[in-house]
Amino acid sequence: MITLARRLRVVDYFTLGWGTMVGVGWLVVMDDWLLRGGTLGGVLGFAIGGALLLPIGYVYGQLVATMPDAAGEVAYTANVFPRSISFATGWMMILAYFIVCPWEAVAVGKIAGYIFPGLDSMELYRIAGRPVYLPHVIIGLGLTGLLTFLNYRGIRLSASFQNWTTFGTLGLFVVFVAVGVSKGSPQNFPPLFTHSGLVSILLVIQIVPYYMTGFESVVKGAEESSPEFRAGGFLKAIWMAILVGILFYTIVIAAVCYVAPWRELTGEKFMTAVAFGHAVGSRWIVSVILAAALLSLFKVFNGNLVAASRLVFAMGRRGLVDARVAQVHPLNQTPSTAVICVGLSTAACMFLGDAILVPISDVGSLASAAGWLAACAAYSQMAPSRRQRLVAAVGAMVGLLMILMKVVPFVPGHFSVYEWLALGIWGVLGAISAQRETP
């Protein structure tokens, strides 16, 4: 029987988890974050929201150590819940990972257009009033093809790409933050909150699941650990991904607000780059930020492609979706069919443009929280000690609260009709894709 190649180490799992988590939101939608919460609201929102994920990270670390299955949440829930719950959990998590891929494919065209304004030409059509340009589509398709090829050829090749882009991003991040803050002033911080303090923090916490989804992608590569890998390394990689993620997001928010009067820049495209450019008074720092953003985009795209394809593969192997997606390449030892399916679907969704992808991304935030809730609920049924059951209960409560923040009508920032429509369409696709259990 052909199995997946076993090549991953602790550092590879960290770069998979953190790299899948941190994309280009800190460049592309910084103005949205700050308009939601303000300086302090943004920092506290990500700090609190990220810290609340630590119990969930602990649960995942314990589960994957005892059940190193690429199915992740699907395998965990199958242990204690009916098949329908297991399928629904897996289907939601596929959305959480997959939707990031076309979003990044669209974002790379936008960043390229910012660097080379001539690329914002040859408009093909508009969706919700936003143009889709031919050069953007070509660039996005090219990146999608490259990452699909890397993952088709082998997990070691994909992991090496992930490592270089992750540490490259962190290195450039240190450079531009260190230089930028030397030119800033605390007088640029106000307003600390854009609404009341509690509402500002709440509005930011709502988006944390989407921007910190990815630490649990570590478990999707559980079957590809090297023979020397020890099970405790999973929890180490997961917690490191969460902690470094919290530090990254809180530092970049505080730095942007420190280097320039942020309220005056919220209408600017790529506000983070503009703020640092104003502070330093030179184009070179903007180039460093854009280089960091491109590396970050590559790694988050690659990491989510890895996680989504492994989950599709594992669900096919369990007979939850078409079994043909569970094929393993005889030479490369990769889930080749699942990788191709995710790559082709990403290419197709790219043509929707960012206007349609934004509401679907909001649904991805809920999908992640649903997966975390299901995993914690399953662990609470399996955990041997009272302390572990308590941690699982805390994790499940966090997941439930994050879901309620998006679906309860009177909570600020709840789902609009477009998010409900996107969720409904994904549910219908799941019903069509689900395979009946053989008697």
mmCIF file of all heavy atoms in Angstrom, residues 87-103 210 213 216 304 307-309 311-312 315 342 349 357 359-368 370 415 419-427 429-430:
data_model
loop_
_atom_site.group_PDB
_atom_site.id
_atom_site.type_symbol
_atom_site.label_atom_id
_atom_site.label_comp_id
_atom_site.label_asym_id
_atom_site.label_seq_id
_atom_site.Cartn_x
_atom_site.Cartn_y
_atom_site.Cartn_z
ATOM 1 N N PHE A 87 -18.824 14.366 8.974
ATOM 2 C CA PHE A 87 -18.778 14.940 7.622
ATOM 3 C C PHE A 87 -18.944 16.456 7.667
ATOM 4 O O PHE A 87 -18.199 17.195 7.014
ATOM 5 C CB PHE A 87 -19.866 14.334 6.735
ATOM 6 C CG PHE A 87 -19.983 15.045 5.408
ATOM 7 C CD1 PHE A 87 -19.107 14.749 4.381
ATOM 8 C CD2 PHE A 87 -20.943 16.027 5.208
ATOM 9 C CE1 PHE A 87 -19.177 15.420 3.164
ATOM 10 C CE2 PHE A 87 -21.029 16.710 4.000
ATOM 11 C CZ PHE A 87 -20.144 16.402 2.977
ATOM 12 N N ALA A 88 -19.944 16.926 8.427
ATOM 13 C CA ALA A 88 -20.216 18.366 8.486
ATOM 14 C C ALA A 88 -19.002 19.130 9.016
ATOM 15 O O ALA A 88 -18.659 20.208 8.506
ATOM 16 C CB ALA A 88 -21.438 18.633 9.360
ATOM 17 N N THR A 89 -18.332 18.560 10.017
ATOM 18 C CA THR A 89 -17.144 19.205 10.574
ATOM 19 C C THR A 89 -16.047 19.307 9.527
ATOM 20 O O THR A 89 -15.429 20.362 9.332
ATOM 21 C CB THR A 89 -16.629 18.417 11.791
ATOM 22 O OG1 THR A 89 -17.661 18.342 12.777
ATOM 23 C CG2 THR A 89 -15.402 19.084 12.393
ATOM 24 N N GLY A 90 -15.796 18.196 8.833
ATOM 25 C CA GLY A 90 -14.774 18.198 7.799
ATOM 26 C C GLY A 90 -15.100 19.139 6.658
ATOM 27 O O GLY A 90 -14.220 19.841 6.143
ATOM 28 N N TRP A 91 -16.364 19.189 6.261
ATOM 29 C CA TRP A 91 -16.774 20.043 5.148
ATOM 30 C C TRP A 91 -16.593 21.521 5.493
ATOM 31 O O TRP A 91 -16.167 22.326 4.654
ATOM 32 C CB TRP A 91 -18.230 19.752 4.783
ATOM 33 C CG TRP A 91 -18.678 20.361 3.493
ATOM 34 C CD1 TRP A 91 -19.593 21.347 3.308
ATOM 35 C CD2 TRP A 91 -18.205 20.030 2.175
ATOM 36 N NE1 TRP A 91 -19.736 21.651 1.986
ATOM 37 C CE2 TRP A 91 -18.887 20.860 1.258
ATOM 38 C CE3 TRP A 91 -17.264 19.111 1.692
ATOM 39 C CZ2 TRP A 91 -18.666 20.797 -0.115
ATOM 40 C CZ3 TRP A 91 -17.042 19.045 0.327
ATOM 41 C CH2 TRP A 91 -17.740 19.885 -0.550
ATOM 42 N N MET A 92 -16.893 21.883 6.737
ATOM 43 C CA MET A 92 -16.694 23.270 7.163
ATOM 44 C C MET A 92 -15.215 23.621 7.215
ATOM 45 O O MET A 92 -14.807 24.718 6.815
ATOM 46 C CB MET A 92 -17.337 23.493 8.536
ATOM 47 C CG MET A 92 -18.852 23.452 8.524
ATOM 48 S SD MET A 92 -19.596 24.793 7.566
ATOM 49 C CE MET A 92 -19.545 26.119 8.761
ATOM 50 N N MET A 93 -14.376 22.699 7.673
ATOM 51 C CA MET A 93 -12.948 22.990 7.752
ATOM 52 C C MET A 93 -12.314 23.076 6.363
ATOM 53 O O MET A 93 -11.376 23.841 6.154
ATOM 54 C CB MET A 93 -12.231 21.926 8.592
ATOM 55 C CG MET A 93 -12.521 22.023 10.088
ATOM 56 S SD MET A 93 -12.201 23.670 10.800
ATOM 57 C CE MET A 93 -10.424 23.802 10.641
ATOM 58 N N ILE A 94 -12.829 22.307 5.411
ATOM 59 C CA ILE A 94 -12.337 22.445 4.038
ATOM 60 C C ILE A 94 -12.586 23.862 3.549
ATOM 61 O O ILE A 94 -11.717 24.488 2.923
ATOM 62 C CB ILE A 94 -13.030 21.420 3.101
ATOM 63 C CG1 ILE A 94 -12.500 20.007 3.367
ATOM 64 C CG2 ILE A 94 -12.788 21.793 1.636
ATOM 65 C CD1 ILE A 94 -13.189 18.936 2.556
ATOM 66 N N LEU A 95 -13.768 24.398 3.845
ATOM 67 C CA LEU A 95 -14.070 25.776 3.446
ATOM 68 C C LEU A 95 -13.093 26.752 4.101
ATOM 69 O O LEU A 95 -12.584 27.670 3.450
ATOM 70 C CB LEU A 95 -15.501 26.140 3.838
ATOM 71 C CG LEU A 95 -15.899 27.612 3.597
ATOM 72 C CD1 LEU A 95 -15.827 27.947 2.116
ATOM 73 C CD2 LEU A 95 -17.292 27.895 4.142
ATOM 74 N N ALA A 96 -12.818 26.547 5.389
ATOM 75 C CA ALA A 96 -11.935 27.461 6.124
ATOM 76 C C ALA A 96 -10.557 27.542 5.476
ATOM 77 O O ALA A 96 -9.966 28.630 5.375
ATOM 78 C CB ALA A 96 -11.810 27.008 7.576
ATOM 79 N N TYR A 97 -10.026 26.400 5.037
ATOM 80 C CA TYR A 97 -8.715 26.398 4.390
ATOM 81 C C TYR A 97 -8.809 26.813 2.923
ATOM 82 O O TYR A 97 -8.031 27.636 2.449
ATOM 83 C CB TYR A 97 -8.085 25.002 4.462
ATOM 84 C CG TYR A 97 -7.806 24.526 5.846
ATOM 85 C CD1 TYR A 97 -8.311 23.307 6.304
ATOM 86 C CD2 TYR A 97 -7.031 25.270 6.735
ATOM 87 C CE1 TYR A 97 -8.064 22.853 7.587
ATOM 88 C CE2 TYR A 97 -6.777 24.830 8.015
ATOM 89 C CZ TYR A 97 -7.304 23.611 8.437
ATOM 90 O OH TYR A 97 -7.054 23.179 9.705
ATOM 91 N N PHE A 98 -9.753 26.212 2.227
ATOM 92 C CA PHE A 98 -9.799 26.411 0.781
ATOM 93 C C PHE A 98 -10.044 27.860 0.391
ATOM 94 O O PHE A 98 -9.411 28.378 -0.535
ATOM 95 C CB PHE A 98 -10.879 25.520 0.159
ATOM 96 C CG PHE A 98 -11.206 25.911 -1.257
ATOM 97 C CD1 PHE A 98 -10.286 25.697 -2.271
ATOM 98 C CD2 PHE A 98 -12.405 26.543 -1.571
ATOM 99 C CE1 PHE A 98 -10.554 26.091 -3.572
ATOM 100 C CE2 PHE A 98 -12.681 26.936 -2.860
ATOM 101 C CZ PHE A 98 -11.747 26.708 -3.868
ATOM 102 N N ILE A 99 -10.946 28.556 1.105
ATOM 103 C CA ILE A 99 -11.327 29.900 0.668
ATOM 104 C C ILE A 99 -10.152 30.872 0.723
ATOM 105 O O ILE A 99 -10.122 31.882 0.012
ATOM 106 C CB ILE A 99 -12.512 30.435 1.510
ATOM 107 C CG1 ILE A 99 -13.141 31.646 0.818
ATOM 108 C CG2 ILE A 99 -12.074 30.772 2.925
ATOM 109 C CD1 ILE A 99 -13.546 31.420 -0.618
ATOM 110 N N VAL A 100 -9.149 30.556 1.546
ATOM 111 C CA VAL A 100 -7.973 31.414 1.611
ATOM 112 C C VAL A 100 -7.191 31.367 0.294
ATOM 113 O O VAL A 100 -6.584 32.359 -0.113
ATOM 114 C CB VAL A 100 -7.066 30.993 2.791
ATOM 115 C CG1 VAL A 100 -5.787 31.825 2.824
ATOM 116 C CG2 VAL A 100 -7.817 31.128 4.110
ATOM 117 N N CYS A 101 -7.210 30.217 -0.388
ATOM 118 C CA CYS A 101 -6.398 30.048 -1.597
ATOM 119 C C CYS A 101 -6.798 31.019 -2.711
ATOM 120 O O CYS A 101 -5.934 31.767 -3.200
ATOM 121 C CB CYS A 101 -6.466 28.599 -2.065
ATOM 122 S SG CYS A 101 -5.782 27.414 -0.870
ATOM 123 N N PRO A 102 -8.062 31.078 -3.151
ATOM 124 C CA PRO A 102 -8.404 32.068 -4.181
ATOM 125 C C PRO A 102 -8.277 33.502 -3.686
ATOM 126 O O PRO A 102 -7.968 34.403 -4.470
ATOM 127 C CB PRO A 102 -9.858 31.723 -4.540
ATOM 128 C CG PRO A 102 -10.379 30.928 -3.404
ATOM 129 C CD PRO A 102 -9.195 30.184 -2.865
ATOM 130 N N TRP A 103 -8.515 33.730 -2.383
ATOM 131 C CA TRP A 103 -8.342 35.081 -1.836
ATOM 132 C C TRP A 103 -6.907 35.545 -2.028
ATOM 133 O O TRP A 103 -6.655 36.671 -2.434
ATOM 134 C CB TRP A 103 -8.712 35.085 -0.351
ATOM 135 C CG TRP A 103 -9.048 36.436 0.205
ATOM 136 C CD1 TRP A 103 -10.268 37.004 0.336
ATOM 137 C CD2 TRP A 103 -8.116 37.411 0.725
ATOM 138 N NE1 TRP A 103 -10.162 38.263 0.891
ATOM 139 C CE2 TRP A 103 -8.857 38.539 1.142
ATOM 140 C CE3 TRP A 103 -6.731 37.433 0.872
ATOM 141 C CZ2 TRP A 103 -8.268 39.656 1.699
ATOM 142 C CZ3 TRP A 103 -6.122 38.563 1.422
ATOM 143 C CH2 TRP A 103 -6.896 39.656 1.838
ATOM 144 N N TYR A 210 -10.696 34.129 11.669
ATOM 145 C CA TYR A 210 -10.291 34.054 10.261
ATOM 146 C C TYR A 210 -8.802 34.311 10.108
ATOM 147 O O TYR A 210 -8.101 33.573 9.401
ATOM 148 C CB TYR A 210 -11.083 35.056 9.415
ATOM 149 C CG TYR A 210 -10.657 35.046 7.961
ATOM 150 C CD1 TYR A 210 -10.953 33.965 7.147
ATOM 151 C CD2 TYR A 210 -9.918 36.094 7.424
ATOM 152 C CE1 TYR A 210 -10.539 33.927 5.828
ATOM 153 C CE2 TYR A 210 -9.497 36.069 6.107
ATOM 154 C CZ TYR A 210 -9.824 34.972 5.302
ATOM 155 O OH TYR A 210 -9.403 34.947 4.006
ATOM 156 N N THR A 213 -6.802 31.396 11.830
ATOM 157 C CA THR A 213 -7.020 30.026 11.395
ATOM 158 C C THR A 213 -5.737 29.527 10.759
ATOM 159 O O THR A 213 -5.125 30.226 9.962
ATOM 160 C CB THR A 213 -8.148 29.965 10.351
ATOM 161 O OG1 THR A 213 -9.369 30.324 10.961
ATOM 162 C CG2 THR A 213 -8.279 28.570 9.770
ATOM 163 N N GLU A 216 -4.155 24.874 13.521
ATOM 164 C CA GLU A 216 -4.619 23.480 13.532
ATOM 165 C C GLU A 216 -4.304 22.747 12.235
ATOM 166 O O GLU A 216 -4.533 21.538 12.116
ATOM 167 C CB GLU A 216 -6.125 23.418 13.849
ATOM 168 C CG GLU A 216 -7.056 23.811 12.720
ATOM 169 C CD GLU A 216 -6.955 25.264 12.310
ATOM 170 O OE1 GLU A 216 -6.704 26.133 13.175
ATOM 171 O OE2 GLU A 216 -7.109 25.522 11.111
ATOM 172 N N ASN A 304 -2.324 26.707 3.193
ATOM 173 C CA ASN A 304 -3.745 26.364 3.106
ATOM 174 C C ASN A 304 -4.012 25.343 2.017
ATOM 175 O O ASN A 304 -4.924 24.522 2.139
ATOM 176 C CB ASN A 304 -4.569 27.629 2.880
ATOM 177 C CG ASN A 304 -4.836 28.376 4.164
ATOM 178 O OD1 ASN A 304 -5.692 27.998 4.961
ATOM 179 N ND2 ASN A 304 -4.073 29.439 4.407
ATOM 180 N N ALA A 307 -3.142 22.048 3.699
ATOM 181 C CA ALA A 307 -4.171 21.626 4.658
ATOM 182 C C ALA A 307 -5.453 21.199 3.954
ATOM 183 O O ALA A 307 -6.045 20.159 4.282
ATOM 184 C CB ALA A 307 -4.457 22.761 5.642
ATOM 185 N N ALA A 308 -5.906 21.987 2.985
ATOM 186 C CA ALA A 308 -7.149 21.672 2.288
ATOM 187 C C ALA A 308 -7.030 20.360 1.526
ATOM 188 O O ALA A 308 -7.943 19.512 1.571
ATOM 189 C CB ALA A 308 -7.523 22.809 1.333
ATOM 190 N N SER A 309 -5.918 20.166 0.831
ATOM 191 C CA SER A 309 -5.761 18.947 0.036
ATOM 192 C C SER A 309 -5.669 17.711 0.924
ATOM 193 O O SER A 309 -6.226 16.661 0.598
ATOM 194 C CB SER A 309 -4.529 19.046 -0.862
ATOM 195 O OG SER A 309 -3.348 19.224 -0.116
ATOM 196 N N LEU A 311 -7.051 17.327 3.851
ATOM 197 C CA LEU A 311 -8.374 17.067 4.414
ATOM 198 C C LEU A 311 -9.296 16.448 3.364
ATOM 199 O O LEU A 311 -10.059 15.510 3.666
ATOM 200 C CB LEU A 311 -8.972 18.367 4.955
ATOM 201 C CG LEU A 311 -10.174 18.262 5.886
ATOM 202 C CD1 LEU A 311 -9.949 17.233 6.987
ATOM 203 C CD2 LEU A 311 -10.483 19.623 6.501
ATOM 204 N N VAL A 312 -9.243 16.953 2.134
ATOM 205 C CA VAL A 312 -10.027 16.351 1.049
ATOM 206 C C VAL A 312 -9.606 14.902 0.848
ATOM 207 O O VAL A 312 -10.452 13.998 0.723
ATOM 208 C CB VAL A 312 -9.838 17.156 -0.255
ATOM 209 C CG1 VAL A 312 -10.433 16.408 -1.443
ATOM 210 C CG2 VAL A 312 -10.487 18.530 -0.142
ATOM 211 N N MET A 315 -10.889 12.716 3.759
ATOM 212 C CA MET A 315 -12.338 12.478 3.706
ATOM 213 C C MET A 315 -12.680 11.491 2.599
ATOM 214 O O MET A 315 -13.598 10.669 2.743
ATOM 215 C CB MET A 315 -13.079 13.798 3.516
ATOM 216 C CG MET A 315 -13.033 14.698 4.741
ATOM 217 S SD MET A 315 -13.982 16.224 4.564
ATOM 218 C CE MET A 315 -15.680 15.584 4.589
ATOM 219 N N VAL A 342 -7.982 20.834 -5.525
ATOM 220 C CA VAL A 342 -7.920 22.118 -4.814
ATOM 221 C C VAL A 342 -7.334 23.194 -5.722
ATOM 222 O O VAL A 342 -7.820 24.330 -5.755
ATOM 223 C CB VAL A 342 -7.103 21.984 -3.510
ATOM 224 C CG1 VAL A 342 -6.909 23.355 -2.852
ATOM 225 C CG2 VAL A 342 -7.786 21.039 -2.540
ATOM 226 N N CYS A 349 -12.370 29.809 -8.716
ATOM 227 C CA CYS A 349 -12.923 30.813 -7.798
ATOM 228 C C CYS A 349 -12.244 32.163 -7.928
ATOM 229 O O CYS A 349 -12.833 33.198 -7.582
ATOM 230 C CB CYS A 349 -12.818 30.318 -6.356
ATOM 231 S SG CYS A 349 -13.961 28.980 -5.958
ATOM 232 N N LEU A 357 -15.376 37.233 -2.769
ATOM 233 C CA LEU A 357 -14.591 36.439 -1.829
ATOM 234 C C LEU A 357 -14.641 36.971 -0.403
ATOM 235 O O LEU A 357 -14.493 36.214 0.549
ATOM 236 C CB LEU A 357 -13.138 36.365 -2.290
ATOM 237 C CG LEU A 357 -12.892 35.549 -3.565
ATOM 238 C CD1 LEU A 357 -11.431 35.650 -3.972
ATOM 239 C CD2 LEU A 357 -13.296 34.102 -3.376
ATOM 240 N N PRO A 359 -17.279 38.204 1.545
ATOM 241 C CA PRO A 359 -18.287 37.570 2.396
ATOM 242 C C PRO A 359 -18.044 36.084 2.617
ATOM 243 O O PRO A 359 -18.337 35.548 3.688
ATOM 244 C CB PRO A 359 -19.607 37.802 1.640
ATOM 245 C CG PRO A 359 -19.216 38.126 0.241
ATOM 246 C CD PRO A 359 -17.895 38.808 0.357
ATOM 247 N N ILE A 360 -17.478 35.405 1.613
ATOM 248 C CA ILE A 360 -17.181 33.986 1.798
ATOM 249 C C ILE A 360 -16.089 33.814 2.842
ATOM 250 O O ILE A 360 -16.099 32.872 3.632
ATOM 251 C CB ILE A 360 -16.762 33.338 0.463
ATOM 252 C CG1 ILE A 360 -17.866 33.512 -0.587
ATOM 253 C CG2 ILE A 360 -16.475 31.851 0.652
ATOM 254 C CD1 ILE A 360 -17.506 32.978 -1.959
ATOM 255 N N SER A 361 -15.143 34.751 2.876
ATOM 256 C CA SER A 361 -14.078 34.700 3.879
ATOM 257 C C SER A 361 -14.644 34.842 5.288
ATOM 258 O O SER A 361 -14.176 34.192 6.226
ATOM 259 C CB SER A 361 -13.055 35.806 3.609
ATOM 260 O OG SER A 361 -12.463 35.647 2.338
ATOM 261 N N ASP A 362 -15.661 35.687 5.437
ATOM 262 C CA ASP A 362 -16.313 35.821 6.741
ATOM 263 C C ASP A 362 -16.940 34.494 7.169
ATOM 264 O O ASP A 362 -16.931 34.137 8.342
ATOM 265 C CB ASP A 362 -17.387 36.911 6.688
ATOM 266 C CG ASP A 362 -16.785 38.314 6.697
ATOM 267 O OD1 ASP A 362 -15.639 38.445 7.157
ATOM 268 O OD2 ASP A 362 -17.448 39.252 6.239
ATOM 269 N N VAL A 363 -17.480 33.758 6.202
ATOM 270 C CA VAL A 363 -18.034 32.439 6.502
ATOM 271 C C VAL A 363 -16.910 31.491 6.907
ATOM 272 O O VAL A 363 -17.089 30.627 7.763
ATOM 273 C CB VAL A 363 -18.810 31.880 5.288
ATOM 274 C CG1 VAL A 363 -19.311 30.469 5.571
ATOM 275 C CG2 VAL A 363 -19.980 32.794 4.947
ATOM 276 N N GLY A 364 -15.728 31.681 6.317
ATOM 277 C CA GLY A 364 -14.583 30.859 6.688
ATOM 278 C C GLY A 364 -14.212 31.032 8.147
ATOM 279 O O GLY A 364 -13.755 30.083 8.799
ATOM 280 N N SER A 365 -14.408 32.231 8.686
ATOM 281 C CA SER A 365 -14.149 32.477 10.103
ATOM 282 C C SER A 365 -15.075 31.628 10.970
ATOM 283 O O SER A 365 -14.646 31.005 11.939
ATOM 284 C CB SER A 365 -14.341 33.965 10.407
ATOM 285 O OG SER A 365 -14.083 34.245 11.750
ATOM 286 N N LEU A 366 -16.337 31.612 10.620
ATOM 287 C CA LEU A 366 -17.297 30.780 11.351
ATOM 288 C C LEU A 366 -16.961 29.307 11.195
ATOM 289 O O LEU A 366 -17.073 28.520 12.137
ATOM 290 C CB LEU A 366 -18.714 31.066 10.853
ATOM 291 C CG LEU A 366 -19.835 30.236 11.483
ATOM 292 C CD1 LEU A 366 -21.100 31.082 11.687
ATOM 293 C CD2 LEU A 366 -20.207 29.037 10.601
ATOM 294 N N ALA A 367 -16.548 28.913 9.981
ATOM 295 C CA ALA A 367 -16.227 27.514 9.715
ATOM 296 C C ALA A 367 -15.087 27.036 10.606
ATOM 297 O O ALA A 367 -15.128 25.926 11.151
ATOM 298 C CB ALA A 367 -15.861 27.343 8.243
ATOM 299 N N SER A 368 -14.075 27.873 10.777
ATOM 300 C CA SER A 368 -12.955 27.513 11.649
ATOM 301 C C SER A 368 -13.424 27.312 13.079
ATOM 302 O O SER A 368 -13.063 26.322 13.733
ATOM 303 C CB SER A 368 -11.895 28.616 11.616
ATOM 304 O OG SER A 368 -11.440 28.850 10.319
ATOM 305 N N ALA A 370 -16.338 26.507 14.090
ATOM 306 C CA ALA A 370 -17.153 25.293 14.159
ATOM 307 C C ALA A 370 -16.261 24.057 14.272
ATOM 308 O O ALA A 370 -16.553 23.120 15.037
ATOM 309 C CB ALA A 370 -18.051 25.197 12.929
ATOM 310 N N PHE A 415 -23.510 38.311 10.657
ATOM 311 C CA PHE A 415 -23.663 37.964 9.239
ATOM 312 C C PHE A 415 -24.719 38.837 8.566
ATOM 313 O O PHE A 415 -25.781 39.107 9.135
ATOM 314 C CB PHE A 415 -24.095 36.504 9.094
ATOM 315 C CG PHE A 415 -22.955 35.527 9.039
ATOM 316 C CD1 PHE A 415 -21.648 35.926 9.274
ATOM 317 C CD2 PHE A 415 -23.188 34.195 8.732
ATOM 318 C CE1 PHE A 415 -20.604 35.018 9.219
ATOM 319 C CE2 PHE A 415 -22.152 33.278 8.665
ATOM 320 C CZ PHE A 415 -20.860 33.690 8.912
ATOM 321 N N GLU A 419 -23.417 36.720 3.599
ATOM 322 C CA GLU A 419 -22.734 35.641 4.315
ATOM 323 C C GLU A 419 -23.637 34.425 4.481
ATOM 324 O O GLU A 419 -23.207 33.286 4.302
ATOM 325 C CB GLU A 419 -22.237 36.120 5.688
ATOM 326 C CG GLU A 419 -20.985 36.969 5.632
ATOM 327 C CD GLU A 419 -21.277 38.425 5.335
ATOM 328 O OE1 GLU A 419 -22.462 38.812 5.383
ATOM 329 O OE2 GLU A 419 -20.330 39.185 5.050
ATOM 330 N N TRP A 420 -24.914 34.677 4.817
ATOM 331 C CA TRP A 420 -25.853 33.568 4.936
ATOM 332 C C TRP A 420 -26.034 32.841 3.608
ATOM 333 O O TRP A 420 -26.129 31.609 3.562
ATOM 334 C CB TRP A 420 -27.216 34.062 5.445
ATOM 335 C CG TRP A 420 -27.234 34.380 6.910
ATOM 336 C CD1 TRP A 420 -27.420 35.591 7.494
ATOM 337 C CD2 TRP A 420 -27.057 33.453 7.995
ATOM 338 N NE1 TRP A 420 -27.361 35.494 8.861
ATOM 339 C CE2 TRP A 420 -27.145 34.192 9.201
ATOM 340 C CE3 TRP A 420 -26.821 32.080 8.063
ATOM 341 C CZ2 TRP A 420 -27.009 33.588 10.452
ATOM 342 C CZ3 TRP A 420 -26.685 31.482 9.318
ATOM 343 C CH2 TRP A 420 -26.785 32.235 10.488
ATOM 344 N N LEU A 421 -26.040 33.610 2.521
ATOM 345 C CA LEU A 421 -26.160 33.011 1.190
ATOM 346 C C LEU A 421 -24.947 32.140 0.874
ATOM 347 O O LEU A 421 -25.077 31.004 0.378
ATOM 348 C CB LEU A 421 -26.319 34.107 0.134
ATOM 349 C CG LEU A 421 -26.421 33.639 -1.329
ATOM 350 C CD1 LEU A 421 -27.647 32.765 -1.520
ATOM 351 C CD2 LEU A 421 -26.465 34.840 -2.271
ATOM 352 N N ALA A 422 -23.749 32.659 1.179
ATOM 353 C CA ALA A 422 -22.526 31.891 0.938
ATOM 354 C C ALA A 422 -22.506 30.607 1.754
ATOM 355 O O ALA A 422 -22.141 29.535 1.251
ATOM 356 C CB ALA A 422 -21.301 32.749 1.268
ATOM 357 N N LEU A 423 -22.932 30.697 3.025
ATOM 358 C CA LEU A 423 -22.975 29.515 3.882
ATOM 359 C C LEU A 423 -23.979 28.497 3.352
ATOM 360 O O LEU A 423 -23.720 27.284 3.334
ATOM 361 C CB LEU A 423 -23.338 29.920 5.311
ATOM 362 C CG LEU A 423 -23.362 28.799 6.357
ATOM 363 C CD1 LEU A 423 -22.000 28.142 6.482
ATOM 364 C CD2 LEU A 423 -23.808 29.348 7.712
ATOM 365 N N GLY A 424 -25.129 28.993 2.870
ATOM 366 C CA GLY A 424 -26.141 28.105 2.315
ATOM 367 C C GLY A 424 -25.650 27.378 1.068
ATOM 368 O O GLY A 424 -25.889 26.169 0.899
ATOM 369 N N ILE A 425 -24.956 28.108 0.191
ATOM 370 C CA ILE A 425 -24.425 27.497 -1.025
ATOM 371 C C ILE A 425 -23.402 26.420 -0.688
ATOM 372 O O ILE A 425 -23.392 25.330 -1.278
ATOM 373 C CB ILE A 425 -23.795 28.579 -1.937
ATOM 374 C CG1 ILE A 425 -24.888 29.493 -2.494
ATOM 375 C CG2 ILE A 425 -23.002 27.936 -3.078
ATOM 376 C CD1 ILE A 425 -24.351 30.691 -3.248
ATOM 377 N N TRP A 426 -22.532 26.708 0.289
ATOM 378 C CA TRP A 426 -21.539 25.708 0.688
ATOM 379 C C TRP A 426 -22.219 24.476 1.291
ATOM 380 O O TRP A 426 -21.788 23.343 1.058
ATOM 381 C CB TRP A 426 -20.550 26.307 1.688
ATOM 382 C CG TRP A 426 -19.417 25.379 2.020
ATOM 383 C CD1 TRP A 426 -19.180 24.753 3.194
ATOM 384 C CD2 TRP A 426 -18.361 24.984 1.138
ATOM 385 N NE1 TRP A 426 -18.054 23.990 3.118
ATOM 386 C CE2 TRP A 426 -17.525 24.108 1.870
ATOM 387 C CE3 TRP A 426 -18.041 25.276 -0.179
ATOM 388 C CZ2 TRP A 426 -16.389 23.521 1.309
ATOM 389 C CZ3 TRP A 426 -16.898 24.694 -0.737
ATOM 390 C CH2 TRP A 426 -16.097 23.835 0.001
ATOM 391 N N GLY A 427 -23.286 24.703 2.044
ATOM 392 C CA GLY A 427 -24.034 23.573 2.602
ATOM 393 C C GLY A 427 -24.659 22.708 1.521
ATOM 394 O O GLY A 427 -24.639 21.468 1.593
ATOM 395 N N LEU A 429 -23.566 22.400 -1.588
ATOM 396 C CA LEU A 429 -22.458 21.675 -2.239
ATOM 397 C C LEU A 429 -22.028 20.475 -1.395
ATOM 398 O O LEU A 429 -21.695 19.420 -1.944
ATOM 399 C CB LEU A 429 -21.278 22.627 -2.441
ATOM 400 C CG LEU A 429 -21.437 23.725 -3.497
ATOM 401 C CD1 LEU A 429 -20.240 24.668 -3.485
ATOM 402 C CD2 LEU A 429 -21.627 23.111 -4.881
ATOM 403 N N GLY A 430 -22.070 20.638 -0.063
ATOM 404 C CA GLY A 430 -21.730 19.533 0.818
ATOM 405 C C GLY A 430 -22.731 18.400 0.692
ATOM 406 O O GLY A 430 -22.353 17.222 0.658
#
